[in-house]
Amino acid sequence: MRGFIFLATLLCALFGPWWGVLIGATAVSLRYRAYEMLLVGAIADVLWLPNSLAWGMPLMLYATIAIIWILEPVRRELFITDGLG
Amino acid sequence: MNWSRRSSDRESSSLKRALFFTIIVVAVGMIDVGLGGQLRSFARDALTPFANSMTTAWRSFLTFSDLSTRVDLLERVQVAEDEAARLKERDALFQFLARENAELRDIARVAGTVDSVTAPIASSFRASPYGTFVVAAGWQSGVEEGALVLSSEGFVLGTIADVGLRTATVRFVFAPEARVEATSDANAFTLIGQGLTTATARVPVETPLVIGAPVYIPSLNSLPAGIITHIASTTASVYADIYVTLPTSLNSIRHIRIVPRDLPTIPE
């Protein structure tokens, strides 16, 4: 399941709507410590954000970092987890 | 007891791994910024052919699968929509041309002789949260940062924001929250991008603007960027909201034209 969501999110970063990445990252982060989503966020920024910081900050990377680490205590508190991640 | 300790060890090592991965990704990002985006350019050049081949494979799958009938229908609808958009665009273009005088035609003739690059679109228009897309032409083809990106009918879509070896990133004029000064019938206003092909502006209600009039961007060689599609005002307000839309369906765009920014300025 985790691999499937990773692939789906990666495809979203390449071809689909950008918010698909955030939904995928949130979904998988509720169950796992999904650090692979950082890679997806980074890929989205690599592809779509122009090089200069004048065009803006790497929001997708920031968003995935925030999702993974903000959801960490929620995941530990509310969801049954085996610590895999 | 042992099980509990093993589980705790696993949890701790997982946490360390996640922290390590986060630090690595952030560090690579900072190094990339330090190098002026060089890492990103290399990665983009490497990823774009992969994205292209995936798109081609997906289209082939749709063509040869059971979905082909549905795809045929969708394509027919698409063709009809494209045709409608093309007619709309031609109408706006006609207005644009009708307003020009002999001087403009002379300048346009000069502009027509300037070298331009025609490039295929190499990415989805909607996948980017930054209002950007990628074209398959880079500095190897003579593309320069800041160059103008035009639709086949001459409407400006955006500017080159970043150039790699074989690819370039284009930022839409109407990217989300982008602000750009515009004019229409000698009335100036500030457009705020609503994402990709639509922008809005607030103007005094007595401003004589008409639906269907082309909107020009002075900072982009006064090229047309869209047409006014809607004007919303209420009796209680002294302002009217105008909506400007690119009269081209993005789905119909397969190639774009890239021209240098230092073309002779076209007066409105």
Side-chain angles (χ1 to χ4, degrees):
Chain A
M1 178 55 83
R2 185 175 174 180
F4 174 76
I5 294 178
F6 171 68
L7 273 179
T9 313
L10 188 61
L11 288 176
C12 245
L14 293 173
F15 312 109
W18 58 270
W19 40 261
V21 174
L22 303 183
I23 291 175
T26 306
V28 80
S29 296
L30 286 172
R31 178 67 179 82
Y32 304 102
R33 188 173 290 132
Y35 51 84
E36 71 274 15
M37 287 299 156
L38 295 176
L39 195 65
V40 180
I43 285 175
D45 283 337
V46 161
L47 271 177
W48 306 121
L49 184 65
N51 288 350
S52 165
L53 276 182
W55 296 103
M57 306 303 281
L59 296 180
M60 293 301 278
L61 181 60
Y62 287 175
T64 46
I65 289 174
I67 287 169
I68 290 166
W69 290 106
I70 286 173
L71 289 184
E72 172 72 12
V74 179
R75 183 178 65 83
R76 292 174 86 154
E77 198 65 37
L78 300 177
F79 292 85
I80 300 166
T81 173
D82 51 11
L84 292 174
Chain B
M1 187 68 176
N2 267 349
W3 180 85
S4 164
R5 210 169 119 187
R6 226 180 301 144
S7 174
S8 157
D9 284 351
R10 260 168 43 170
E11 176 71 19
S12 155
S13 92
S14 157
L15 190 64
K16 277 182 193 158
R17 208 158 52 218
L19 266 173
F20 176 73
F21 205 78
T22 306
I23 290 165
I24 289 288
V25 169
V26 171
V28 169
M30 286 171 78
I31 290 169
D32 175 60
V33 170
L35 292 173
Q38 291 294 310
L39 292 181
R40 229 178 298 172
S41 285
F42 287 129
R44 194 175 296 143
D45 280 342
L47 275 171
T48 305
F50 167 73
N52 270 342
S53 55
M54 289 284 286
T55 307
T56 311
W58 177 244
R59 282 191 186 143
S60 308
F61 167 74
L62 287 179
T63 306
F64 293 108
S65 72
D66 290 341
L67 294 168
S68 58
T69 313
R70 187 167 177 272
V71 169
D72 281 349
L73 280 173
L74 286 174
E75 274 176 2
R76 278 186 206 175
V77 172
Q78 188 60 53
V79 167
E81 279 178 357
D82 291 351
E83 190 56 34
R86 207 169 297 126
L87 288 172
K88 219 169 159 188
E89 187 176 28
R90 280 189 188 281
D91 182 46
L93 188 70
F94 175 76
Q95 286 191 43
F96 168 59
L97 292 174
R99 285 164 200 232
E100 308 307 326
N101 54 22
E103 184 190 359
L104 171 60
R105 281 196 291 276
D106 286 344
I107 292 169
R109 223 171 284 131
V110 174
T113 63
V114 173
D115 284 340
S116 68
V117 177
T118 302
I121 307 295
S123 75
S124 156
F125 283 116
R126 292 180 177 80
S128 168
Y130 306 105
T132 54
F133 64 95
V134 179
V135 293
W139 60 260
Q140 219 174 34
S141 316
V143 176
E144 289 178 355
E145 205 170 312
L148 307 178
V149 176
L150 311 180
S151 72
S152 57
E153 298 291 352
F155 280 83
V156 63
L157 293 172
T159 53
I160 300 289
D162 180 26
V163 188
L165 184 64
R166 287 182 297 270
T167 59
T169 306
V170 181
R171 190 164 196 253
F172 277 103
V173 177
F174 298 155
E177 296 303 315
R179 286 170 181 268
V180 63
E181 295 302 320
T183 61
S184 181
D185 289 332
N187 302 295
F189 43 86
T190 304
L191 284 172
I192 301 170
Q194 301 299 311
L196 311 191
T197 60
T198 311
T200 60
R202 181 157 279 201
V203 296
V205 77
E206 66 272 14
T207 311
L209 292 170
V210 288
I211 290 175
V215 172
Y216 305 87
I217 310 294
S219 60
L220 302 179
N221 284 54
S222 290
L223 287 166
I227 56 172
I228 298 175
T229 50
H230 184 59
I231 300 174
S233 61
T234 58
T235 48
S237 175
V238 292
Y239 290 104
D241 290 320
I242 63 167
Y243 294 81
V244 176
T245 308
L246 179 78
T248 307
S249 161
L250 285 182
N251 294 329
S252 69
I253 299 177
R254 297 279 180 269
H255 291 82
I256 46 89
R257 205 152 53 89
I258 303 169
V259 297
R261 199 165 191 158
D262 51 1
L263 285 173
T265 305
I266 299 170
E268 190 186 337

